[in-house]
């Protein structure tokens, strides 16, 4: 089944990832986003959303994950619609992650230097994955392993599809 969303034809089910953030210190390595989404693409289609500040990260994502869908940056209402139709969202501590959580879809939010108890998105289907707090704040996101994201994402995808 196909769903026309925001001017792009996206076969369902699909997950959305937004690998950018308002600051580079709050971003999980783009290589890990691409690797995780590449492995998850055997179960679901992948859509990568972006904002105007994400050009360099998006170029790297396109190189590492060429088969994903890459819509142009979207207005908030269209972005909310795209997220709301997804089976899963994976993103950093960012505005788009809060928007995804607000749509009610399962949302995996990656946190490193900031405190998710203060800055984390809220919702019944929000899953915070936090870097190792014993490390300096600048090293916490890098401590999040791909396998921990894959394990959680696989559980959430199987619940959404079945």
């Amino acid at each position: 089944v196909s769903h026309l969303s925001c001017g792009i034809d996206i076969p369902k089910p699909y997950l959305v990832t937004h690998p950018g953030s308002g600051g580079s210190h709050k971003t999980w390595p783009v290589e890990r986003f691409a690797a995780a989404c590449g492995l998850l693409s055997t179960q679901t289609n992948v859509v990568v959303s972006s904002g105007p500040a994400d050009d360099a990260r998006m170029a790297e994502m396109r190189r590492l994950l060429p088969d994903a869908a890459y819509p142009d940056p979207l207005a908030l209402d269209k972005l909310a619609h795209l997220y709301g139709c997804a089976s899963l969202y994976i993103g950093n501590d960012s505005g788009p992650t809060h928007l995804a959580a607000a749509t009610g879809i399962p949302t995996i939010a990656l946190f490193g230097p900031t405190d998710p108890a203060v800055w984390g998105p809220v919702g019944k289907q929000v899953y915070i994955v936090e870097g190792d707090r014993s490390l300096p704040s600048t090293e916490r996101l890098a401590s999040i392993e791909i396998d921990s994201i894959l394990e959680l994402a696989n559980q959430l995808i199987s619940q959404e599809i079945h």
Side-chain angles (χ1 to χ4, degrees):
V1 174
S2 193
H3 177 72
L4 187 63
S5 180
C6 308
I8 59 172
D9 194 23
I10 305 167
K12 282 188 160 189
Y14 65 88
L15 74 80
V16 178
T17 188
H18 190 99
S21 181
S24 61
H25 65 288
K26 297 193 310 181
T27 56
W28 198 41
V30 70
E31 299 81 12
R32 293 189 189 178
F33 269 109
C37 289
L39 291 166
L40 292 168
S41 70
T42 62
Q43 303 171 66
T44 186
N45 294 296
V46 176
V47 178
V48 183
S49 67
S50 66
D54 298 327
D55 290 348
R57 288 182 71 78
M58 292 306 288
E60 187 67 1
M61 281 294 288
R62 286 177 191 270
R63 185 182 74 74
L64 296 169
L65 192 66
D67 294 332
Y70 293 88
D72 291 333
L74 301 168
L76 282 179
D77 61 333
K78 293 187 185 318
L79 196 59
H81 180 72
L82 178 70
Y83 291 172
C85 296
S87 299
L88 176 66
Y89 172 91
I90 304 171
N92 294 303
D93 171 13
S94 67
T97 298
H98 284 269
L99 182 62
T103 69
I105 65 166
T107 300
I108 299 174
L110 287 69
F111 275 76
T114 55
D115 185 352
V118 176
W119 300 106
V122 295
K124 291 180 180 177
Q125 296 203 75
V126 172
Y127 303 87
I128 303 291
V129 178
E130 190 174 8
D132 183 348
R133 293 193 62 77
S134 70
L135 295 172
S137 63
T138 56
E139 297 174 19
R140 290 179 191 156
L141 274 169
S143 72
I144 298 173
E145 296 294 332
I146 293 170
D147 287 344
S148 63
I149 300 303
L150 289 175
E151 183 178 339
L152 179 55
N154 282 321
Q155 290 172 3
L156 296 170
I157 289 170
S158 68
Q159 289 171 11
E160 284 295 304
I161 293 173
H162 298 97

